[in-house]
Amino acid sequence: MLDIKYIKEHQALVRQAIRDKGIELDLAELLQVREHFEKLDQQVDLLRQKRNKLSKAKDNEGQGDEGLRRELARELNAEIKAKEAELRDLQIHYDQLMLLVPNPVLADVPVGKDDSDNVELYKCGELRQFDFKPKDHYELACDLGLVDFERARLVGGSRAYALKGQGILLEMAVLRLALDYLITRGFGLYAPPIMVRPEIMEGTGYFPLGRENAYGLAKDAEYLTGTAEVGLVGMQADTVFDLEQLPLKIAGISPCFRREAGAAGRDTRGLYRVHQFQKVEQVVIAPADLDIAKDLHYEILGNAEAILTMLGLPYRVVAVCTGDIGQGQIFKHDIETYMPGRAGYGETHSCSLMGDFQARRLGIRYKDRDGKKHLAYTLNNTAAATPRLLIPILEHYQNADGTVTIPEVLRPYMGGKTLLESSNMLLGLWLCLGCKTLIERQ
């Protein structure tokens, strides 16, 4: 949410943001509603003053004047009541419009219509050159018994999946790697609430525009979150930090839920686009200093890159354009990891600088050294999201015999295991060893 004073003083900039971000909002309507509200509010205030003055008047003219004053008081009360009701309706309409106002982006954000206009900044890592016909992650996951798609979809419908056996251990290893790394980077860890009140979804900027992607719990008037960011930032609501406490660096791990509305038919094979997943998210609460905030932005982006580097996965970083950036974001980068099965890069991380967009909605402030209060800046970035991150791991580390080499950095989390093998392979090996033992005994 933006300050109305800022909106009035920077109308051209806000209109440009509305166009660039493709948001359906008539800024002229918002300003007219605000002007009408302010004028009506003044009228109501004058009527209240008139009523107060009338109630204090002394009856020096007899009963007749007292009756007249009572009649005037009734008329004033009726007029005030009607205008107060109109004010409440205007306030609701105004608040609804204000929640749609986008945050203008920084000058160095590329202009574009959608993700096809995002700008590649650099690539890291070498693409795997296969000397055999590689499988995609769906085939590998099924052959190795890592995921049960068919039975899960009988239970949960399309895009449901059930990790099993080694698949569960691999996912947990990736998430634990991310958490352990963030601890070394000074992040405090949380498992935040994943069922939150609608005002927290609104406060973090996921409502009203993202409502269609959220799963609601109608009976309890709560929603399942699509990222730990919602709970982490929401927990700072109405907090006033001392400057010395910032930047506050916290990380959350949580199940996440998204409808993926509007994405029907896209990337529905396997694990790329699913409704339920796990994620480790980085969140930073920072002072309202753009230079400091940008440094922190690149810091948390670097944390995600470091995790991918430890995993030995090739990736690229892109600057997100105006048409693909979110309503509240002023600066954003995506990390796309190379997935051989797609013969291209797929998004695995998003790093966002929000300015004071979330802080204004949630009342997150800090006191400077003079004791003056300011709205804080908020930032967020993915550290690891699974099962999507399992896709490049399986595809990049597959072997000609159908096994998958476990990245070295994950092996301590998997009991030192070096390979993912199917149960059939293990059974075959056991039978061979058993036969060999029998022959030797004879």
Side-chain angles (χ1 to χ4, degrees):
M1 181 178 289
L2 302 185
D3 179 47
I4 186 61
K5 182 179 178 182
Y6 176 91
I7 294 172
K8 288 180 178 180
E9 293 175 352
H10 301 85
Q11 293 183 40
L13 189 62
V14 175
R15 282 195 173 90
Q16 185 65 46
I18 292 170
R19 288 192 295 270
D20 287 345
K21 294 189 175 184
I23 293 175
E24 295 183 7
L25 172 65
D26 185 344
L27 186 60
E29 180 188 3
L30 184 148
L31 295 174
Q32 288 169 4
V33 171
R34 177 67 183 186
E35 183 180 7
H36 187 186
F37 178 88
E38 289 174 348
K39 288 181 178 178
L40 187 60
D41 191 45
Q42 290 174 359
Q43 292 173 19
V44 171
D45 190 51
L46 290 173
L47 287 170
R48 288 170 180 157
Q49 292 177 31
K50 188 175 180 180
R51 181 180 60 184
N52 292 340
K53 185 177 180 180
L54 184 64
S55 67
K56 293 177 181 178
K58 293 182 179 180
D59 184 9
N60 295 321
E61 302 296 333
Q63 187 64 35
D65 288 341
E66 176 64 21
L68 178 61
R69 279 195 297 274
R70 287 180 179 175
E71 181 60 30
L72 287 173
R74 280 195 294 270
E75 292 175 0
L76 280 172
N77 285 331
E79 186 175 2
I80 290 170
K81 186 176 181 180
K83 290 187 180 297
E84 285 177 337
E86 187 179 353
L87 266 180
R88 286 192 294 272
D89 291 340
L90 279 173
Q91 183 71 60
I92 292 171
H93 189 196
Y94 171 72
D95 290 344
Q96 290 172 340
L97 293 174
M98 282 291 286
L99 288 173
L100 298 176
V101 180
N103 216 357
V105 299
L106 300 183
D108 46 353
V109 172
V111 176
K113 292 184 178 180
D114 53 38
D115 58 1
S116 64
D117 292 322
N118 292 343
V119 177
E120 181 184 297
L121 299 178
Y122 54 88
K123 292 178 179 176
C124 292
E126 295 295 324
L127 303 188
R128 172 85 182 273
Q129 301 300 318
F130 295 94
D131 56 6
F132 59 92
K133 184 179 180 180
K135 301 176 181 179
D136 68 10
H137 80 279
Y138 183 91
E139 296 175 278
L140 290 164
C142 292
D143 290 349
L144 295 173
L146 308 179
V147 186
D148 190 328
F149 291 103
E150 184 177 352
R151 292 179 182 274
R153 288 173 180 175
L154 290 174
V155 175
S158 65
R159 304 199 203 181
Y161 66 96
L163 293 178
K164 61 178 186 175
Q166 299 173 103
I168 298 172
L169 299 179
L170 183 64
E171 177 182 64
M172 293 176 68
V174 172
L175 296 173
R176 184 60 190 273
L177 172 68
L179 289 173
D180 286 354
Y181 180 73
L182 292 180
I183 290 173
T184 70
R185 300 294 294 166
F187 281 73
L189 304 186
Y190 286 85
I194 60 172
M195 295 186 296
V196 303
R197 294 177 287 114
E199 51 265 39
I200 300 301
M201 295 291 280
E202 185 178 280
T204 49
Y206 286 90
F207 283 4
L209 295 180
R211 190 182 296 271
E212 65 176 2
N213 270 321
Y215 287 99
L217 308 173
K219 185 176 180 180
D220 302 298
E222 291 187 326
Y223 292 84
L224 297 174
T225 60
T227 169
E229 171 203 345
V230 176
L232 291 175
V233 177
M235 288 169 65
Q236 317 312 315
D238 300 318
T239 299
V240 179
F241 294 95
D242 292 327
L243 182 60
E244 292 73 22
Q245 295 176 277
L246 302 182
L248 175 69
K249 300 177 183 179
I250 49 180
I253 181 170
S254 74
C256 303
F257 304 88
R258 293 182 187 174
R259 289 186 185 278
E260 296 287 1
R266 294 182 57 199
D267 305 313
T268 55
R269 175 179 165 86
L271 299 171
Y272 190 82
R273 196 177 297 277
V274 292
H275 295 307
Q276 177 184 338
F277 51 100
Q278 305 278 351
K279 189 149 71 107
V280 175
E281 185 77 6
Q282 306 172 75
V283 164
V284 179
I285 311 296
D289 182 306
L290 189 55
D291 290 334
I292 293 174
K294 270 199 163 184
D295 286 345
L296 289 165
H297 176 91
Y298 286 114
E299 179 184 327
I300 59 177
L301 179 66
N303 290 341
E305 291 188 68
I307 292 168
L308 288 176
T309 299
M310 286 189 285
L311 288 168
L313 297 174
Y315 65 89
R316 68 176 184 175
V317 175
V318 301
V320 178
C321 73
T322 53
D324 191 36
I325 203 168
Q327 179 195 9
Q329 297 152 341
I330 64 175
F331 192 58
K332 182 178 180 181
H333 291 90
D334 280 351
I335 300 178
E336 299 175 350
T337 306
Y338 191 79
M339 302 177 181
R342 296 168 65 90
Y345 293 88
E347 180 194 328
T348 51
H349 302 73
S350 288
C351 186
S352 302
L353 170 55
M354 309 292 291
D356 63 12
F357 186 84
Q358 294 176 324
R360 186 179 300 280
R361 293 183 177 210
L362 290 169
I364 305 172
R365 298 174 293 168
Y366 67 96
K367 291 186 293 185
D368 63 21
R369 290 184 176 85
D370 296 324
K372 185 177 179 180
K373 294 178 182 178
H374 305 269
L375 290 170
Y377 279 8
T378 61
L379 305 92
N380 64 80
N381 184 26
T382 319
T386 58
R388 185 175 292 190
L389 199 51
L390 303 187
I391 296 173
I393 292 174
L394 294 174
E395 293 179 352
H396 183 78
Y397 283 100
Q398 64 180 296
N399 302 309
D401 63 359
T403 63
V404 171
T405 300
I406 298 171
E408 188 172 349
V409 72
L410 297 181
R411 293 173 190 174
Y413 301 103
M414 300 189 70
K417 191 176 180 66
T418 61
L419 284 178
L420 296 174
E421 303 171 271
S422 73
S423 56
N424 290 335
M425 292 178 183
L426 294 173
L427 178 61
L429 178 61
W430 179 81
L431 289 173
C432 287
L433 290 173
C435 291
K436 182 179 179 183
T437 301
L438 287 173
I439 292 171
E440 290 174 348
R441 285 178 178 175
Q442 292 176 351

